[in-house]
Amino acid sequence: MKVFAINGSPRGKNSTTYRLLRPFVTGMRAAGAEVESVNLVDYRINYCTGCYVCWTTTPGLCHFNDDMEKLINLLVTSDMVVYGTPVHTYNMSALLKTFIDRTFPIHAPKLKKNDNNPDVTSLQHRHSKPNKLFLIANCGFPEYVHFEPVSFYFRHLAKMLEMKFVGEILRPMGDVFKRPSTQTVLRPYYDLMQICGDELIRFGKLSKATEQRLKTDWVLTSDNSYIETVNLHYEHLQDKTKKLKEKKHANTRIKAETS
Ligand SMILES: Cc1cc2nc3c(=O)[nH]c(=O)nc-3n(C[C@H](O)[C@H](O)[C@H](O)COP(=O)(O)O)c2cc1C
């Protein structure tokens, strides 16, 4: 099983998405999968200009000479793709959407009835492609409702591309992962992510018990404690920045007065 795991967070290795993906990938590898894992932010990816050159003048090839050809190659040679994204303005990150749009050259300009859902029209594929899709998303708010657009989108994408949507891990309160002080308390959750990766490869999906644990084995007991923690965190950061600015301002004034 070849897996292509994609971190779509613009925060790259500092992101919650990366922190969730890393143990998940470890679990998949331990179960025997060959995994290619990328942080999209490390690659040059222009946004699609909608010129259709990849369907007309140079079929299968974009006019941009950036890193997409390499990434598309990793995608079309894998059996499963794992999309990782933060929720940005109630949707996936713009970076991940840019990547997905730029996979346009893998389609041929030929409409056909969808193999798995004859009620919808799809595009012909120019290449082989992964036949399974898994989603890992995290968001800042504490409720699951904020994942609805992202979850719906990736289910639809899988349907349209004749792939099987094999599951999702949705993690609200994702800001908890950002602080170094919470890393120890998060260790059991990272272990759980590893179990998820292992189960996905061995059984093709997460077990019901593990899906349940993803919701219940969480480090905070209530939404209110999260709201309080996040508000305090940002108040503290704003205070710190204000004090630094005041200090800088005072130093500049002293320098000006003494010169
Ligand atoms: C531009 C922007 C938009 C965001 N929009 C939302 C949102 O709509 N809903 C939400 O719950 N969190 C939102 N967040 C918070 C992020 O989802 C949250 O900080 C998450 O943990 C970031 O994950 P990452 O570190 O993997 O990038 C937003 C953050 C940014 C920077």
Side-chain angles (χ1 to χ4, degrees), residues 22-109:
R22 194 173 39 184
F24 188 78
V25 166
T26 305
M28 288 195 289
R29 286 192 178 131
E34 194 186 312
V35 188
E36 277 288 347
S37 159
V38 295
N39 294 301
L40 284 185
V41 76
D42 296 337
Y43 293 82
R44 285 176 306 123
I45 309 173
N46 294 302
Y47 63 83
C48 175
T49 52
C51 65
Y52 287 85
V53 156
C54 63
W55 275 14
T56 53
T57 325
T58 54
L61 264 187
C62 180
H63 69 95
F64 280 125
N65 184 16
D66 56 11
D67 293 330
M68 268 312 287
E69 204 179 331
K70 184 177 173 203
L71 293 169
I72 286 183
N73 199 37
L74 289 172
L75 180 74
V76 298
T77 53
S78 62
D79 304 300
M80 172 156 60
V81 58
V82 176
Y83 283 115
T85 185
V87 173
H88 276 182
T89 328
Y90 315 105
N91 213 317
M92 79 183 86
S93 71
L95 177 60
L96 184 56
K97 183 61 166 48
T98 300
F99 167 82
I100 295 174
D101 284 350
R102 285 288 309 283
T103 61
F104 212 49
I106 73 174
H107 309 292

Side-chain angles (χ1 to χ4, degrees), residues 7 9-11 14-18 85-91 138-142 146 173-175 178 234:
N7 175 10
S9 169
R11 291 159 38 79
N14 293 320
S15 65
T16 295
T17 307
Y18 180 76
T85 185
V87 173
H88 276 182
T89 328
Y90 315 105
N91 213 317
N138 92 93
C139 77
F141 287 133
H146 304 289
M173 309 192 204
D175 286 315
K178 292 193 174 68
Y234 284 109

Side-chain angles (χ1 to χ4, degrees), residues 1-7 13 18 20-39 43 74 78 80 82 136 190-191 193-203:
M1 164 81 78
K2 279 177 93 172
V3 181
F4 187 31
I6 301 173
N7 175 10
K13 283 191 173 173
Y18 180 76
L20 293 171
L21 267 171
R22 194 173 39 184
F24 188 78
V25 166
T26 305
M28 288 195 289
R29 286 192 178 131
E34 194 186 312
V35 188
E36 277 288 347
S37 159
V38 295
N39 294 301
Y43 293 82
L74 289 172
S78 62
M80 172 156 60
V82 176
I136 297 183
Y190 291 135
D191 291 344
M193 289 302 295
Q194 197 168 326
I195 292 172
C196 290
D198 179 272
E199 282 187 0
L200 182 62
I201 298 306
R202 282 195 298 130
F203 311 125

